[in-house]
Amino acid sequence: MRTWRANPWAVLVTLSLGFFMTLLDLTIVNIAVPDMMSSLDASLDRTLWVVSGYALALSVLIITASRLGDLHGPRTLFAAGLAVFTLASVACGLAPTANALIAARAVQGLGAALLTPQTTTLVVAVFPAERRGRAMGVWGMVAGLATLSGPTLGGFLVSAANWRWIFLVNVPVGAAALALTFLVVPDIRPARAHRFDLTGLLLSAAALFCLAFGLQEGENYRWGAGIWALLAAGSALGAAFVLHQRRRQDREPLIPFALLRDRNFTAMTALVGFLSVAMLGLVLPFNLYLQSVLHLSAVKAGLVLAPSSLVSMTVGPFAGRLADRIGGRYLLLTGLGCYGAGILAITLTASPATAWYAFVPATLLTGLGVGCIIAPMSAEAMRTIPSHLAGAASGVNNTVRQIGSVAGAAAVGALLQGRLAAGLAAGQTYPAALHTTAVLPLAVLAAGALVCLPLRRRTPAAAPACAGRPAADH
């Protein structure tokens, strides 16, 4: 263990264990939604809060957690997050009611928020600048693998045992990661005192809650005046947060506007939000279709999506290396095109009697797309960020990722409930709803392609200079 201590790749493996669990729990729940509805006697909109409640807590607190890492050291926050996440996973697995499960998921989101931004901060700290792009590529590959493997792993656990094991499986992994944290990860302490923006935290939390609750419950309340008032309040609180951050730019704001002057960081941060919406916009409706229309078991539904995970895992490392050499713009555009084509193929293939194997070519295409997106997106976002802004950059990037998950879950839930209600009245089947919800991920992928166009083109000759900027700032 003395040999492993502070070894960059050993640190990356330890960080990846924790990061993998937090992202896995965003999608692993989707496959278990029908079983949870039946077991807990809960409605669809209530069960969807098991998905969005976790993402909401994570997105609300993640910027604050990045600042706490600046105050108390990233290893301390990473270990605390692992402990909270693991204990909350036990509570989720033992939850007797839907409300208890939603509450435990919110605490689980708190643990994920504490540890997630520390992963990027520690990667930037332990890897030299010339190897940082490859390390961020691996980190991004872990993100893609966790997101795509959730339904497959969840399907095995639900079929072999029951839905509770999708949470209990985190316990041994969390315990192992916690032990490795103190054995391997260096205790990096801040060089100077930092300030804590409590007002910014309260404004951002209130804005995100109002927006997420309004989107999630809009269909349930028939989009009445109260829902629109809540959405308007969320927008107003968001504007107040931006103005507050503008006034605090010389006093350590939650979001340093200097980050937004980095064109690649801004573009990739927008893209990570779009991609989160697109992934949930596909995975949740497609899982419900496989189980509710084709009557596949949870494990078979997960296996339908398994080719996507395998292709993504295979392509990811190569995409990360290639992005280090030539830049990520063309890789990202290729990946977005493949992912969008895969979604369109799934939508056109779906019918009440489609054989499961007919979806394999489409899922292979989505896996190729994600493999070409995740690693280059992460590498390009952090490549030229100065090390003293790495914590804030990680917080902003991961917050947008989780906001995308919240917005995606809320939007697809509203589309599903509205389309299913209209479909039942007209005598239509669930594939009609799948066709409607596919518009959401296709639209956000098109928006993602647009934000990739202004990326700076990176040539091999320019690579050393770009890679050296963070080290010089440090």
Side-chain angles (χ1 to χ4, degrees):
M1 297 307 302
R2 284 196 298 269
T3 304
W4 289 0
R5 186 167 184 81
N7 178 286
W9 294 105
V11 172
L12 182 59
V13 169
T14 303
L15 299 176
S16 296
L17 281 175
F19 186 53
F20 182 87
M21 286 196 305
T22 63
L23 287 183
L24 183 72
D25 271 46
L26 277 173
T27 57
I28 197 172
V29 175
N30 293 327
I31 200 76
V33 165
D35 289 82
M36 286 190 292
M37 290 172 62
S38 175
S39 173
L40 299 175
D41 192 24
S43 62
L44 175 61
D45 65 306
R46 176 60 58 86
T47 307
L48 286 176
W49 268 104
V50 177
V51 179
S52 57
Y54 172 82
L56 177 60
L58 181 51
S59 61
V60 165
L61 299 172
I62 203 165
I63 291 181
T64 302
S66 70
R67 280 307 190 202
L68 287 174
D70 290 337
L71 287 168
H72 303 292
R75 189 185 76 166
T76 302
L77 268 292
F78 183 78
L82 277 174
V84 172
F85 185 90
T86 304
L87 292 174
S89 296
V90 175
C92 288
L94 301 178
T97 65
N99 288 338
L101 179 57
I102 293 169
R105 283 281 283 173
V107 178
Q108 200 181 37
L110 166 63
L114 291 175
L115 73 89
T116 297
Q118 319 312 327
T119 59
T120 312
T121 303
L122 287 165
V123 167
V124 171
V126 301
F127 277 90
E130 66 273 11
R131 299 165 66 190
R132 200 170 292 153
R134 184 176 298 182
M136 290 306 302
V138 173
W139 183 88
M141 184 195 69
V142 170
L145 179 61
T147 304
L148 289 175
S149 62
T152 304
L153 179 58
F156 277 112
L157 292 172
V158 170
S159 296
N162 57 55
W163 63 265
R164 297 182 183 276
W165 282 95
I166 66 176
F167 302 112
L168 296 176
V169 72
N170 292 327
V171 177
V173 179
L178 189 59
L180 284 172
T181 298
F182 292 105
L183 293 171
V184 172
V185 179
D187 189 10
I188 300 168
R189 292 290 175 170
R192 61 187 179 88
H194 291 272
R195 298 175 181 177
F196 190 72
D197 184 8
L198 180 60
T199 302
L201 164 66
L202 295 176
L203 285 172
S204 63
L208 288 168
F209 179 81
C210 289
L211 292 171
F213 187 88
L215 289 171
Q216 182 74 55
E217 296 294 316
E219 183 65 29
N220 192 40
Y221 289 96
R222 300 182 181 276
W223 298 100
I227 291 295
W228 289 109
L230 200 61
L231 294 174
S235 301
L237 287 167
F241 171 75
V242 172
L243 292 175
H244 173 72
Q245 293 301 289
R246 182 180 179 182
R247 290 194 296 267
R248 283 188 61 93
Q249 287 305 299
D250 59 344
R251 290 176 292 163
E252 294 199 64
L254 289 177
I255 301 180
F257 287 176
L259 291 172
L260 304 181
R261 290 195 287 271
D262 187 307
R263 184 193 304 172
N264 283 18
F265 175 80
T266 302
M268 293 301 93
T269 299
L271 180 60
V272 79
F274 289 137
L275 188 62
S276 296
V277 174
M279 283 185 168
L280 277 175
L282 169 66
V283 172
L284 181 57
F286 191 37
N287 278 329
L288 289 173
Y289 161 78
L290 292 172
Q291 295 184 63
S292 301
V293 177
L294 300 188
H295 304 293
L296 299 181
S297 65
V299 66
K300 288 182 179 179
L303 285 173
V304 172
L305 290 172
S308 183
S309 303
L310 294 174
V311 172
S312 174
M313 182 172 59
T314 303
V315 172
F318 297 102
R321 292 179 185 178
L322 194 56
D324 246 359
R325 295 179 180 179
I326 66 171
R329 179 167 59 178
Y330 296 115
L331 283 169
L332 290 167
L333 290 173
T334 300
L336 289 167
C338 289
Y339 195 56
I343 293 174
L344 187 60
I346 287 172
T347 304
L348 296 177
T349 304
S351 72
T354 303
W356 66 267
Y357 50 80
F359 293 106
V360 171
T363 55
L364 290 173
L365 199 54
T366 58
L368 176 61
V370 172
C372 290
I373 295 170
I374 297 293
M377 180 175 65
S378 302
E380 292 299 320
M382 299 298 293
R383 191 184 303 282
T384 57
I385 295 298
S387 58
H388 70 277
L389 291 178
S394 174
V396 171
N397 191 271
N398 283 289
T399 296
V400 172
R401 184 194 306 273
Q402 306 313 325
I403 290 173
S405 297
V406 172
V412 77
L415 285 172
L416 274 174
Q417 292 180 72
R419 191 65 187 86
L420 286 173
L424 289 173
Q428 296 174 340
T429 59
Y430 186 86
L434 183 62
H435 297 160
T436 300
T437 57
V439 174
L440 174 67
L442 290 174
V444 296
L445 288 175
L450 291 178
V451 303
C452 289
L453 294 178
L455 282 179
R456 290 191 183 96
R457 186 175 181 180
R458 185 169 180 271
T459 62
C466 292
R469 282 179 57 187
D473 288 322
H474 181 70

